[in-house]
Amino acid sequence: MVLGIDVGASATKGILLNQDRQVVSFYVRDSGVDFKQAAEDTRMNCMSTAGIAEDDIKYTIASGYGRRSVSFADDIKTEISCHARGGYFHHPKACTIVDIGGQDSKVIRVDDAGKPISFKMNRKCAAGTGAFLVETAARLSIHLEQMEGLARGAQKEIELGSFCTVFTKTEILARISEGACAEDIARGVFGSVIKRIIEMDPLTGDVVMTGGVIAHNPFLGEMFEKKLNRKLFVPEKPQFAGALGAALFALEQSGG
Amino acid sequence: MAEETKVKRKRIAATGMMKKIMADYFYEMDKAVKAGAPKVAWCTSVGPAELLRAMGFLVHFPENHGAMLGATRTANDYIPLANAIGYSPDICSYLTSDVGAYLKGETPLSKAYPGIENVPKPDVLVFNTNQCRDVQDWFGWYSREFKVPIMGINTHRGVREVTKSHIDSVARQIASLVPGLEEISGNKFDLERLQETVDLSLECSQLWRQVLETAANIPSPFTFFDGTIHMGPAVVLRGTKTAVDYYKALLAELNDRVDKGVAAVEGERYRLYWEGMPIWGRLRDLSEFFAHLKASVLASTYCNSWIFDAFDPKEPFGSMAKAYTLLFIVRSDEEKEKYIEDMVTKFKLDGIVFHDSKTCPNNTNSRYGMPERLRESLDVNTVTIFGDLNDLRCYSEEQSKTNIEAFIEQLERK
């Protein structure tokens, strides 16, 4: 058995895979401020759900922002490679993988063998990431979890044009003062995330979406499909794509 | 396993000689300022240094001082002071850190060279806009501050083919500086002396090229990061015998490394090109990070920018004009791409790292689709790092390193 662990900026995800590349157990929790603890806790939970001992894990690969904090990992891989691997596992064709994470967004193009051809990360701004949703939810005085329901129930999408998260919050203030409702603003916020992604890459061919933002906000995926005017491929557990990719690398490196 | 192992950089023995040369250079200038002679000219990095030297000036290069502010990681202490007097955080951070340091009355020269209190006060400021328009504004500020004359050359930009008319116009501008420089220096222009200086600059340039080309060997004995340090004499002392002697010594050492198969990066697996400005405050860190990944960043546009093949002592003005106009930074994107394509072949490169330097648009080539075009035409991998030459507020350590690591992982799977 092998373990893939993705210590992201917001959440830590773990996946145990058996030799047949089947998921044995998985676990997710907030990364918090102690990445080591988050990783250890994730490992323990994956093990206890699977009913296995530490020695049963042949190889572990850590990924994500906190990858270097995972002292029990045998190797590390970037979240870019892991999301490419995990995304391709779900959709084994030449495709573009879009990962919207808590702190950054990535667009990775892979060929029909799953090899990354190119990748881009968002620049030094929260726009187009989960952090942007956190900031705007706070501005709207709602819990992050309410954003999806509000956006879905909107009558229209408020246009939010700024690149910058702070400027967008100012724009939201202006719309509030004009009498816009929270639902329409929430849909506008989702629209802003989508615009930032579309600006990163032409998104040619099949598009696979991974990451926590799409996992918690499926309506954002539906809006994305409408903007692109074609179907998106979203794995069953999009938030775990990075951890799955790490586990697949672990299986490969352990000779499995 | 997850812990990064620190990689020790291989020391180049000639470094000691270079440090002495650089110390002598700064002390000589400091002494001149205190004594009032010889006169000191400030010059942009690819300004008409040969003419200034031939006219008897000692030459200070503010871009070199800017790089020192970056490398000593003090730039961010000073940039806000320049911002506060109206110089935007979006413009050249060499300019803002240098002006800010002056406003605060500090210089890294004081720490490196005890006894030197200030940057050498200029008697004249001479620019060439081949680097950017910012150098003119930068020198303009000091001209007002010190109440000294400013003069310079306005160059052509986006040059596809260098023609006689380009060369003639720049040559005329260089020649037109002579009367003013005669007046300030008190020295009569001497053609023979200029020819000698151009000849020494040519020799320095040819040796510098040979030094950089040792990196075409596998493994490479020399990296881009070494180059950014060892280019010092080629930048500040071209046109002198001191620089020529230094590069003879450095070249001999590197050739010896080549003969013995000594690699600058132990276990070199990937050979990379650096396109754009250095990130001065993270040079050591990035050098070690690439080495840890067994990737040798061994060639660059930046270090090559002090190769001037066109110098010809028989035609000093025309050849200086030609050399300054053949410069990569003033060429069209088509010419730049051809140049990088040649580099990829010559140095047997696996990939190109583009540095998108926030405050240096002129020395950033990733903003108009060049990485994508080169990826297509050369079947070579590229990655873009977002940072800055001096302003570390524009650089995200974690994001940059993740990009670099992912880039190497991409090469591994190629």
Side-chain angles (χ1 to χ4, degrees), chain B residues 132-195:
Chain B
C132 54
R133 68 155 275 177
D134 297 47
V135 292
Q136 189 173 352
D137 294 276
W138 184 358
F139 281 26
W141 188 86
Y142 280 110
S143 172
R144 292 187 293 275
E145 177 66 18
F146 290 123
K147 296 178 180 53
V148 294
I150 178 170
M151 52 182 82
I153 300 154
N154 286 287
T155 203
H156 303 275
R157 303 217 72 84
V159 179
R160 197 162 189 170
E161 191 187 340
V162 176
T163 63
K164 189 172 177 303
S165 92
H166 291 124
I167 296 167
D168 287 350
S169 79
V170 174
R172 268 197 306 274
Q173 290 185 67
I174 301 173
S176 74
L177 302 174
V178 170
L181 294 174
E182 281 183 328
E183 197 182 318
I184 297 161
S185 67
N187 297 325
K188 196 91 189 114
F189 172 69
D190 178 344
L191 180 64
E192 216 169 284
R193 198 164 166 201
L194 178 62
Q195 288 174 318

Side-chain angles (χ1 to χ4, degrees), chain B residues 322-340:
Chain B
K322 189 174 178 185
Y324 300 158
T325 311
L326 283 168
L327 205 63
F328 180 93
I329 197 168
V330 296
R331 307 304 295 279
S332 67
D333 268 20
E334 291 89 342
E335 293 300 315
K336 287 178 178 175
E337 280 170 46
K338 271 192 241 159
Y339 181 94
I340 295 173

Side-chain angles (χ1 to χ4, degrees), chain A residues 64-65 67-71 73-81 85 104 109 113-124 249 252, chain B residues 1-4 289 356 358 367 372 375 381-383 386-387 393-396 398-399 401-407 409-410 412-414:
Chain A
Y65 268 105
R67 62 190 177 279
R68 291 186 184 85
S69 307
V70 185
S71 52
D74 296 289
D75 201 358
I76 56 171
K77 286 269 178 211
T78 62
E79 51 272 38
I80 294 166
S81 293
R85 190 77 190 261
D104 58 44
R109 290 169 61 201
K115 287 181 187 169
I117 304 166
S118 65
F119 63 87
K120 288 173 185 163
M121 271 174 99
N122 64 306
R123 296 172 66 169
K124 299 168 290 271
F249 277 119
E252 182 181 285
Chain B
M1 185 71 209
E3 289 298 310
E4 244 176 68
F289 189 65
D356 186 315
K358 175 77 169 71
R367 296 181 187 175
E372 286 77 3
R375 205 157 57 217
N381 291 83
T382 68
V383 67
F386 295 95
R393 296 173 299 184
C394 304
Y395 176 71
S396 159
E398 182 53 39
Q399 200 183 51
K401 287 191 170 170
T402 295
N403 271 287
I404 292 166
E405 236 176 297
F407 180 58
E409 288 170 359
Q410 195 182 349
E412 277 166 359
R413 291 181 70 78
K414 202 174 178 185

Side-chain angles (χ1 to χ4, degrees), chain B residues 62-95:
Chain B
E63 282 145 283
N64 173 249
H65 190 250
M68 288 177 83
L69 292 163
T72 52
R73 289 183 292 281
T74 52
N76 282 100
D77 298 340
Y78 305 128
I79 291 169
L81 299 173
N83 298 158
I85 61 160
Y87 287 81
S88 163
D90 292 330
I91 65 162
C92 173
S93 59
Y94 272 173
L95 184 165

